[in-house]
Amino acid sequence: MAKIVTIKRTFWDQLYLPGVVRGLGITLRHFFVNTFGSKEIETLRYGEWDRPDPPPSSDPDAWRGKQKQRLRPERFRGRHRLMKRDDGSVRCTACMMCATICPANCIHIEAGERESPTSRSVEKFPLRFEIDELVCVVCGLCVEACPCDALRMDTQEHLPPVEHRRDAVLDREQLLSRAGVSIARDGGDGEDWRERYDATIGEARQIYRPDKQGHDDATIGYRRKPSS
Amino acid sequence: MTANKPQTAAATTARGTGEVVEFQLDGRTVRALKGQNLVDALLEAGEPISAFCYHPGLSVAAQCRQCLVGIGDGYRLVPACQCTVQHGLSVRSQTDQVRDARRAMLELTLLNHPVDCVICDKAGECALQRHYMDWDARPAAINHEKVHKPKRVDLGPNVVLDAERCILCSRCVRFCTEVAQQQQLTMAQRGDHTVLTTAPGQQLDNPYALNTVDICPVGALTDKDFRFRSRVWELWSTLSVCNGCAAGCATEIHHKGHEIYRLVPPKRWDMNLSWMCDEGRRSYKAVGTERLTEAVVDGHPATPEQGCARAATALALLARRDPTSLAVVLGADATNEDNFMAAQLARHWVGARVFVADRADDGRGDTILRRDDPNPNRAGAQALTADQDATTTSREALLAALGAGAIKGLYVVGNASELAAPIAAALAATEFVLVQATHASALTRAAQVVLPAAAWPEVDGTITNERREVGRLRAAFEPPGQARAHWAWIAEIGAALGQPRQCASAKDVFEQLRDQVPLFRRASWGEERPTVRLRWACRRG
Amino acid sequence: MRDAKFARPLPPDADAPLPGRPALLGHGQQRNDGQELPTEEMVLNMGPSHPAMHGTVHLRLVLDGEKITSAGVSVGYLHRGFEKECEAHTWAENFPYTDRLNYVSPMLNNVGYALAVEKLLGVSAPARAQWIRMIVGELARLSDHLTYLGAQVMELGAFTPYFYVIKAREWVWDLLELVSGARLTHAYVRIGGVAADLPPDFAARTRETLERLSAVVEEFDRLITRNRIFMDRMQGVAVISADDAISHGWTGPCLRGSGVEYDVRKAHPYLFYDRVAFEIPIGANGDNMDRYLIRIEETRQSCAIIRQCLQQIEPGAIQLTDPRISLPTKAQAYNTIEGLINHFKLVVDGIEVPAGEVYSYTEAGNGELGFYLVADGSGRPVKCRCRPPCFMQMTALGHLLRGLNIADIIPTFDTLNMIGGECDR
Amino acid sequence: MLAILGWSLLKIVVMLGFAVGLSAVLTWMERRQSAMMQDRIGPVRANIGKLRLKGLLHPLADALKLLFKEDFIPPRARKGIFVLAPLLALIPVLLVFAVIPFGPPLCLDAWRTVGPDLAACRPEPLQIAHIDIGLLFIFAVASLGAYGAVLAGWSSFNNFGLLGGLRAAAQMLSYEITMGLAVVGALLVYGTLEPMELVQAQATLWDWGIVRQPLGFVLFLCAAIAETKRAPFDIPEGESEIVGYFVEYSGTRFMMFYLAEFLEIVFVGCLVATIFLGGWQAPGLADDGLRLFGHYLPLSHGVVVLARVLTFFLKVFLLCFLQLAIRWTLPRMRFDQLMRLGWKTLLPASLFNVVVTAGVLLAAQAAR
């Protein structure tokens, strides 16, 4: 069903003035409303406001309010951070998944071996872990690719402007400075992980691939012939 | 060609007898060698089939049951690795029953496998990973506490065991027994508590121990040297030839940037099966460190042009005075192209005498792969001096001539490793010494001109092994600094001597060599095998 | 006059004088027919860095006073090797690259690419994922058209309406940020679904935003459309006939401006476009004004489509669960070896797409966005060719501009809506 | 003599101070007003310590910046003309303020008196120069401004600049005529070319030019905006197509063009206020006090004069506001459309206005 949108000029259009007056009416209305009345200005003063605490997600005014601070949504991809284990050590095992999937090649990891692992399956850890936030394209694939919940982008922060490019290369300590303890336990420990997950998933602020996503076996459609 | 091939019973089974027979595979007719192992025959026929415990170079254990196929008309499932090809055999591979059985076997294998991919060096080339994607690809169905076994067990000087990851395929046990001929590994305990361990009072310490890491289908056995240094999919692979000894084993250089991470044997059944000795695997270490990277003239750093000009002037001067007082020393560690160019220079451009610098046999050879002769290209260098009496080109002859003061100018191609010190000691009468080497030695310190040379992973070229087979070296990456291949330096000096340039690449040199030296007439340059990223090397594992 | 002449098939050598029009002078040629003072044509290079040249594009104009006697268009200044880049990455890793094709509506590129790969795989995403893709896709179309509208009037000198629609576009981006976590480069769609479900209060916010947004568009329409200055600038300028438009490969709003009723969403429905009611706006004249009006109307249609989608969407899976296509859930990857292996293989090796080739096309902001993919069974494309809609439209720009005024470059260029990231790839 | 010099200096200071001061404020207004129209904040960053004044310091910052910027002259430019052009743009527009009356005649001796006899005390007209042909002077001098744009565009050795200069020449020549003819109607009505007398003739609201000459007012405003090269007639600049005749200018020289543009806005405001909006006349404000709806509030002469000066300034300010609002609302015309509008619409309309006005005046004379 097509709808022809072409318009024809009327005599009033030809007079210039009605259009001009109508336009002036609209722009001047905005002027007076913004100058003297309730403001419709939504400009955010970048750099002049601090990051507030994340709002309760159900409060729409907090999300896009008329206040000076812009509140970022929960899924906002901000600067990276590394997570910690219960014992305070870095969660990352230098598996290089993030570095592998990174389209910008901004992650550099050097693996090391722990002499005496404090818990099971953490004999490998990152000696160096650097992310160049200026090279980063903030696509979030690294978070999605991390199989240990070690890397996250949920800091709700932009990287602040830096004086030198080298300041934007975050090393392991800087990434760990905002670390939290993940509720995810890797290593296949215990039979009850499914139940524990259901109980605690509310707190897990996993942005991608929320663990409660629906399973629908009927959608398994494609079977590739295995090859050697 | 078959002189040094490891002879095991399994090796012959893998290849069959040579008589071609036909058998039925899921209704179609497939041709294979009679007596060939069915797994190999199926793989050659393009049939996807997977196995953990079967290895063409080892005896059959039929432990993993992953290669189940239906034999005959009924539904009897047998491991393909236990069957050999016979005429009229009927095999079913793509029925639901077979697939379900394989999937069930895989599930069983995965049952106690730890969630370790993140720290496992094998991830990315792991057979378990690949077969899971091929055959199972379903989420875990079972909740249970996995059996815990020792992790990070030191098995010997080179190998670390993670017993949890082990799927008990026994490839390593069989390898030690059958190939390395050392009974160092064994299985202990029973049921799902079975662990791989060293035999009482033993260590996994034999010259071929690292092959167990290669053939381990999972990451249970890891190489201490490679451990945690890199993920395999980040590496690039270049096919080349091991320069450790005169055996000339085919090898893959795994590298990233300008650094080599490991040498592994490719699956070349006609060369060294898929084995390599530990010593050969470690031979890359000498390449990377403390290289010569810039030309040195009279003890001062110089540009390549200055080095070549100085060399050409001195060589021309000496050649005018008395060509026989000039000696060119071919390297038993340089490529055929390098030596050919050096011989060219000696014979046609300046008229010098030719010697071959090689290392003495070390007596460490065995019946498996390792040779007594530690020179990768002695046969090639000698082939270039075949028109002379071998005693006139030997290192004894060289040292004698030096000692007699008959040599005023010396041109050494290659490191001349163990000859460096004696030559340097006998240099009293020489006026001019030119050395092309990768590493500093007593000889380079005594030389007037030192030109930095590219090491073997950095050059294209050929070398000739003990059996006079010409193997192909491929450059994995650029040489450091000013270093370049020997032949390129020689060509440069030749140009400075006024000789026309005839070679732009190693292949050009090789073609001249093939045309001019009878022994190389049937050699071939080999196919182009570009450096590939292991991530894209298509389904390793 | 000129328009009527252009509305015929282009001669094979388009630079030759058209019949009925005096031969155009080459640069440096002098005209002196005894009646006028001798004049000389002037060559003017517009761009690649010029305020009105979106992204970077270069026009080489030969001018006879204010008239353009010939215009040469050079594109490619923003070439980044998108297609080659895709061949070096796995199928799933390419979404951030598609984000940067048409960077005003990245979601539509995301959706188009995902649909192409799914076509090659022979699968389709779960219903909810398809609804979500429609919603975010139409939001992206809104963002695209609002940007166009703003740029169109701004470059004609009317700054104020620009800020109104740009503000509305920010609201759209707020919504998309809510869904994907990023305002512009979303990388949100996945092969076999989408990366995350809609947030809980998304529907309410979207409805509220659409209401405000519609008000802004209507105000914009009142403010500028019937202004005679604007109409003078747009009507009857750069007319292209339907035949010419088709022979240039035009699609999308620009083609519809010439009266051709072709919209991929109607002609070859994908996702659930056959389950929503909307109209295809078409023009009658094929001039700049029609192309502009169509975009205004399409924003209204998009709003309607989104409202219908929000009504019809139902809870369900947002991603296929086939482990060969989708990453396992994080819990599976943390706790089971099967999940972890699956995760590793998909990240390192990629989705192994069966060998074959496919051309898949969707309606993007500027027209038909096509992806021609070739797979060899490995985890990355052998070929990933993108058919960028505005590239085809740019091919006609030189012809459209011949005989127009310098000032007509701006509205004409704007209605073609060239986006450097997409055109140059 | 000294008194005359003193008076002149004082008037120059007041008038030019107002004009230049207002144009400086206008640069701020242009941004803040447009920001308010566009739902933005606008520039508010310039500050001295904590003093920000909502961005009012920006003109100062701009001036400082422009003064210290590199003074760049393109290598192949005609240097002499290139340097001269900004002066040619700026000086005429400063000159025309000489004849604008910004207040009624002031009798300083009688400033306390209510309704003094002005003829007796030799009042000083609040106008820098009292010229009988004041309006002609204005048109004559103002049209010189075109040379600034033309020469700037031509001497820059830049194609864009050249196009801008050509457009400026054509546009300013074309609209000069309409502008002149649009005033003719008013001149016929008031019968004088002297601005002060023109204003004095508009004593009541009924006498204002906008009432007597509504068409003339619209035509004049239109043509005057075109003369000042402001949107929708900013074709010589056309920043999205050819950037403008001053494309090669920077630093102080650019500031001159910039200042000239805003002075022209003030000038147009002054002219329109003088000719059509009763100049310093305020409705109900008579010489002796405020008379509104039958009420009478006696005011002394000084107060009345001050109020009238302020009235004039207020009118000018509002007209400037209107010009800015128009600039931020309308799109730009195309060159040929501009010409068509000028020659085919505005010129006939202004001729028509003259003829009708003359006819009505003749009829009125005949009837009297």
mmCIF file of all heavy atoms in Angstrom, chain B residues 6 67 81 94-95 112 150 210 229-230 234 236 241 243 266 278 323 327 338 374 381 397 466 486 516 534:
data_model
loop_
_atom_site.group_PDB
_atom_site.id
_atom_site.type_symbol
_atom_site.label_atom_id
_atom_site.label_comp_id
_atom_site.label_asym_id
_atom_site.label_seq_id
_atom_site.Cartn_x
_atom_site.Cartn_y
_atom_site.Cartn_z
ATOM 1 N N PRO B 6 61.527 -45.170 12.303
ATOM 2 C CA PRO B 6 61.288 -46.013 13.477
ATOM 3 C C PRO B 6 60.470 -47.216 13.045
ATOM 4 O O PRO B 6 59.405 -47.080 12.466
ATOM 5 C CB PRO B 6 60.482 -45.122 14.413
ATOM 6 C CG PRO B 6 60.574 -43.755 13.855
ATOM 7 C CD PRO B 6 60.898 -43.893 12.404
ATOM 8 N N CYS B 67 36.147 -44.557 18.103
ATOM 9 C CA CYS B 67 36.097 -44.759 16.661
ATOM 10 C C CYS B 67 35.148 -45.884 16.284
ATOM 11 O O CYS B 67 35.346 -46.560 15.285
ATOM 12 C CB CYS B 67 37.502 -45.039 16.124
ATOM 13 S SG CYS B 67 38.284 -46.462 16.881
ATOM 14 N N CYS B 81 39.692 -48.940 14.939
ATOM 15 C CA CYS B 81 41.133 -49.097 15.009
ATOM 16 C C CYS B 81 41.538 -50.555 15.174
ATOM 17 O O CYS B 81 42.688 -50.906 14.949
ATOM 18 C CB CYS B 81 41.707 -48.230 16.132
ATOM 19 S SG CYS B 81 41.115 -48.660 17.771
ATOM 20 N N GLN B 94 27.786 -43.712 9.445
ATOM 21 C CA GLN B 94 26.890 -42.566 9.605
ATOM 22 C C GLN B 94 25.471 -43.004 9.966
ATOM 23 O O GLN B 94 24.507 -42.415 9.504
ATOM 24 C CB GLN B 94 26.870 -41.737 8.317
ATOM 25 C CG GLN B 94 28.131 -40.960 8.063
ATOM 26 C CD GLN B 94 28.344 -39.837 9.059
ATOM 27 O OE1 GLN B 94 27.413 -39.416 9.733
ATOM 28 N NE2 GLN B 94 29.571 -39.384 9.196
ATOM 29 N N THR B 95 25.319 -44.003 10.771
ATOM 30 C CA THR B 95 23.982 -44.345 11.226
ATOM 31 C C THR B 95 23.751 -43.730 12.599
ATOM 32 O O THR B 95 24.695 -43.367 13.307
ATOM 33 C CB THR B 95 23.799 -45.869 11.334
ATOM 34 O OG1 THR B 95 24.710 -46.339 12.329
ATOM 35 C CG2 THR B 95 24.101 -46.549 10.034
ATOM 36 N N ASN B 112 34.726 -36.911 33.827
ATOM 37 C CA ASN B 112 35.615 -36.466 34.894
ATOM 38 C C ASN B 112 36.668 -35.491 34.420
ATOM 39 O O ASN B 112 37.649 -35.250 35.110
ATOM 40 C CB ASN B 112 36.293 -37.682 35.532
ATOM 41 C CG ASN B 112 35.377 -38.332 36.552
ATOM 42 O OD1 ASN B 112 34.701 -37.639 37.299
ATOM 43 N ND2 ASN B 112 35.333 -39.646 36.541
ATOM 44 N N PRO B 150 45.737 -35.861 41.171
ATOM 45 C CA PRO B 150 46.849 -34.914 41.329
ATOM 46 C C PRO B 150 47.012 -34.018 40.104
ATOM 47 O O PRO B 150 46.854 -34.479 38.970
ATOM 48 C CB PRO B 150 48.082 -35.808 41.493
ATOM 49 C CG PRO B 150 47.599 -37.192 41.545
ATOM 50 C CD PRO B 150 46.165 -37.258 41.234
ATOM 51 N N LEU B 210 59.310 -35.709 24.869
ATOM 52 C CA LEU B 210 58.352 -34.651 24.537
ATOM 53 C C LEU B 210 57.337 -35.076 23.490
ATOM 54 O O LEU B 210 56.328 -34.415 23.302
ATOM 55 C CB LEU B 210 59.099 -33.403 24.065
ATOM 56 C CG LEU B 210 59.695 -32.602 25.212
ATOM 57 C CD1 LEU B 210 60.565 -31.492 24.689
ATOM 58 C CD2 LEU B 210 58.592 -32.040 26.089
ATOM 59 N N ARG B 229 53.478 -20.203 27.998
ATOM 60 C CA ARG B 229 54.137 -19.100 27.304
ATOM 61 C C ARG B 229 53.239 -18.467 26.253
ATOM 62 O O ARG B 229 53.338 -17.282 25.969
ATOM 63 C CB ARG B 229 55.433 -19.559 26.654
ATOM 64 C CG ARG B 229 56.601 -19.526 27.638
ATOM 65 C CD ARG B 229 57.835 -20.091 27.003
ATOM 66 N NE ARG B 229 58.337 -19.250 25.942
ATOM 67 C CZ ARG B 229 59.035 -19.699 24.909
ATOM 68 N NH1 ARG B 229 59.283 -20.981 24.794
ATOM 69 N NH2 ARG B 229 59.475 -18.875 23.998
ATOM 70 N N SER B 230 52.398 -19.263 25.663
ATOM 71 C CA SER B 230 51.531 -18.704 24.629
ATOM 72 C C SER B 230 50.358 -19.637 24.435
ATOM 73 O O SER B 230 50.435 -20.811 24.753
ATOM 74 C CB SER B 230 52.301 -18.552 23.321
ATOM 75 O OG SER B 230 51.420 -18.171 22.296
ATOM 76 N N GLU B 234 47.476 -18.436 18.908
ATOM 77 C CA GLU B 234 48.120 -17.162 18.600
ATOM 78 C C GLU B 234 49.371 -17.356 17.756
ATOM 79 O O GLU B 234 49.932 -16.391 17.255
ATOM 80 C CB GLU B 234 48.514 -16.452 19.895
ATOM 81 C CG GLU B 234 47.332 -16.012 20.723
ATOM 82 C CD GLU B 234 47.759 -15.403 22.038
ATOM 83 O OE1 GLU B 234 48.922 -15.604 22.419
ATOM 84 O OE2 GLU B 234 46.941 -14.742 22.666
ATOM 85 N N TRP B 236 51.994 -18.760 14.769
ATOM 86 C CA TRP B 236 52.036 -18.956 13.330
ATOM 87 C C TRP B 236 52.909 -20.171 13.064
ATOM 88 O O TRP B 236 53.839 -20.445 13.811
ATOM 89 C CB TRP B 236 52.614 -17.738 12.623
ATOM 90 C CG TRP B 236 51.784 -16.510 12.791
ATOM 91 C CD1 TRP B 236 51.644 -15.774 13.918
ATOM 92 C CD2 TRP B 236 50.962 -15.889 11.820
ATOM 93 N NE1 TRP B 236 50.796 -14.728 13.708
ATOM 94 C CE2 TRP B 236 50.373 -14.774 12.422
ATOM 95 C CE3 TRP B 236 50.674 -16.164 10.483
ATOM 96 C CZ2 TRP B 236 49.497 -13.935 11.745
ATOM 97 C CZ3 TRP B 236 49.821 -15.319 9.808
ATOM 98 C CH2 TRP B 236 49.229 -14.218 10.429
ATOM 99 N N VAL B 241 62.791 -27.617 8.245
ATOM 100 C CA VAL B 241 63.543 -28.832 8.534
ATOM 101 C C VAL B 241 64.388 -28.583 9.767
ATOM 102 O O VAL B 241 65.048 -27.543 9.876
ATOM 103 C CB VAL B 241 64.433 -29.223 7.339
ATOM 104 C CG1 VAL B 241 65.286 -30.432 7.691
ATOM 105 C CG2 VAL B 241 63.590 -29.506 6.124
ATOM 106 N N ASN B 243 67.351 -28.421 12.216
ATOM 107 C CA ASN B 243 68.783 -28.296 11.960
ATOM 108 C C ASN B 243 69.633 -28.895 13.076
ATOM 109 O O ASN B 243 70.793 -28.570 13.220
ATOM 110 C CB ASN B 243 69.150 -26.824 11.777
ATOM 111 C CG ASN B 243 68.962 -26.383 10.346
ATOM 112 O OD1 ASN B 243 68.184 -26.988 9.623
ATOM 113 N ND2 ASN B 243 69.657 -25.362 9.933
ATOM 114 N N PRO B 266 55.590 -32.266 12.129
ATOM 115 C CA PRO B 266 54.343 -32.389 11.388
ATOM 116 C C PRO B 266 54.047 -33.862 11.167
ATOM 117 O O PRO B 266 54.891 -34.728 11.409
ATOM 118 C CB PRO B 266 54.654 -31.679 10.072
ATOM 119 C CG PRO B 266 56.117 -31.870 9.897
ATOM 120 C CD PRO B 266 56.730 -31.983 11.259
ATOM 121 N N ASP B 278 63.890 -34.690 21.646
ATOM 122 C CA ASP B 278 63.832 -33.531 22.533
ATOM 123 C C ASP B 278 64.931 -32.530 22.219
ATOM 124 O O ASP B 278 64.727 -31.326 22.280
ATOM 125 C CB ASP B 278 63.957 -33.979 23.995
ATOM 126 C CG ASP B 278 62.730 -34.752 24.430
ATOM 127 O OD1 ASP B 278 61.886 -35.042 23.557
ATOM 128 O OD2 ASP B 278 62.618 -35.059 25.629
ATOM 129 N N PRO B 323 95.983 -16.309 -5.879
ATOM 130 C CA PRO B 323 94.674 -16.888 -5.561
ATOM 131 C C PRO B 323 94.769 -18.087 -4.631
ATOM 132 O O PRO B 323 93.870 -18.305 -3.810
ATOM 133 C CB PRO B 323 94.139 -17.303 -6.928
ATOM 134 C CG PRO B 323 94.895 -16.501 -7.906
ATOM 135 C CD PRO B 323 96.257 -16.245 -7.307
ATOM 136 N N ALA B 327 91.406 -18.813 0.948
ATOM 137 C CA ALA B 327 90.622 -20.010 1.280
ATOM 138 C C ALA B 327 89.182 -19.613 1.579
ATOM 139 O O ALA B 327 88.945 -18.655 2.311
ATOM 140 C CB ALA B 327 91.223 -20.715 2.488
ATOM 141 N N ASP B 338 73.690 -21.236 0.038
ATOM 142 C CA ASP B 338 74.790 -20.460 0.586
ATOM 143 C C ASP B 338 76.122 -21.055 0.144
ATOM 144 O O ASP B 338 77.012 -20.361 -0.333
ATOM 145 C CB ASP B 338 74.724 -20.460 2.121
ATOM 146 C CG ASP B 338 73.428 -19.862 2.628
ATOM 147 O OD1 ASP B 338 72.816 -19.088 1.877
ATOM 148 O OD2 ASP B 338 73.032 -20.194 3.754
ATOM 149 N N PRO B 374 76.267 -34.255 13.734
ATOM 150 C CA PRO B 374 75.470 -33.099 14.189
ATOM 151 C C PRO B 374 75.337 -32.014 13.131
ATOM 152 O O PRO B 374 74.758 -30.976 13.413
ATOM 153 C CB PRO B 374 76.262 -32.605 15.402
ATOM 154 C CG PRO B 374 77.671 -32.927 15.072
ATOM 155 C CD PRO B 374 77.665 -34.161 14.206
ATOM 156 N N ALA B 381 77.297 -29.802 1.615
ATOM 157 C CA ALA B 381 78.570 -29.102 1.428
ATOM 158 C C ALA B 381 79.573 -29.994 0.735
ATOM 159 O O ALA B 381 80.315 -29.561 -0.153
ATOM 160 C CB ALA B 381 79.097 -28.634 2.788
ATOM 161 N N ALA B 397 92.611 -30.530 6.759
ATOM 162 C CA ALA B 397 93.385 -29.886 5.699
ATOM 163 C C ALA B 397 93.406 -28.392 5.886
ATOM 164 O O ALA B 397 94.425 -27.715 5.692
ATOM 165 C CB ALA B 397 92.774 -30.246 4.346
ATOM 166 N N GLU B 466 71.633 -36.623 5.810
ATOM 167 C CA GLU B 466 72.593 -37.713 5.711
ATOM 168 C C GLU B 466 72.259 -38.677 4.579
ATOM 169 O O GLU B 466 73.130 -39.248 3.941
ATOM 170 C CB GLU B 466 72.577 -38.454 7.041
ATOM 171 C CG GLU B 466 73.751 -39.333 7.285
ATOM 172 C CD GLU B 466 73.558 -40.051 8.598
ATOM 173 O OE1 GLU B 466 72.485 -40.662 8.795
ATOM 174 O OE2 GLU B 466 74.458 -39.988 9.425
ATOM 175 N N HIS B 486 73.365 -15.924 3.937
ATOM 176 C CA HIS B 486 74.751 -15.998 3.452
ATOM 177 C C HIS B 486 74.827 -15.721 1.975
ATOM 178 O O HIS B 486 75.668 -14.963 1.508
ATOM 179 C CB HIS B 486 75.315 -17.402 3.723
ATOM 180 C CG HIS B 486 75.544 -17.695 5.173
ATOM 181 N ND1 HIS B 486 76.421 -16.992 5.946
ATOM 182 C CD2 HIS B 486 74.998 -18.630 5.981
ATOM 183 C CE1 HIS B 486 76.435 -17.483 7.181
ATOM 184 N NE2 HIS B 486 75.565 -18.480 7.227
ATOM 185 N N GLN B 516 73.815 -26.844 -12.305
ATOM 186 C CA GLN B 516 75.261 -26.958 -12.416
ATOM 187 C C GLN B 516 75.858 -28.105 -11.620
ATOM 188 O O GLN B 516 76.931 -28.597 -11.953
ATOM 189 C CB GLN B 516 75.917 -25.640 -11.973
ATOM 190 C CG GLN B 516 75.575 -24.496 -12.919
ATOM 191 C CD GLN B 516 76.155 -23.188 -12.447
ATOM 192 O OE1 GLN B 516 77.102 -23.183 -11.683
ATOM 193 N NE2 GLN B 516 75.600 -22.103 -12.938
ATOM 194 N N LEU B 534 47.969 -20.600 13.353
ATOM 195 C CA LEU B 534 47.424 -21.875 13.820
ATOM 196 C C LEU B 534 45.931 -21.780 14.065
ATOM 197 O O LEU B 534 45.203 -22.744 13.940
ATOM 198 C CB LEU B 534 48.115 -22.306 15.112
ATOM 199 C CG LEU B 534 49.504 -22.871 14.930
ATOM 200 C CD1 LEU B 534 50.007 -23.444 16.228
ATOM 201 C CD2 LEU B 534 49.522 -23.936 13.858
#
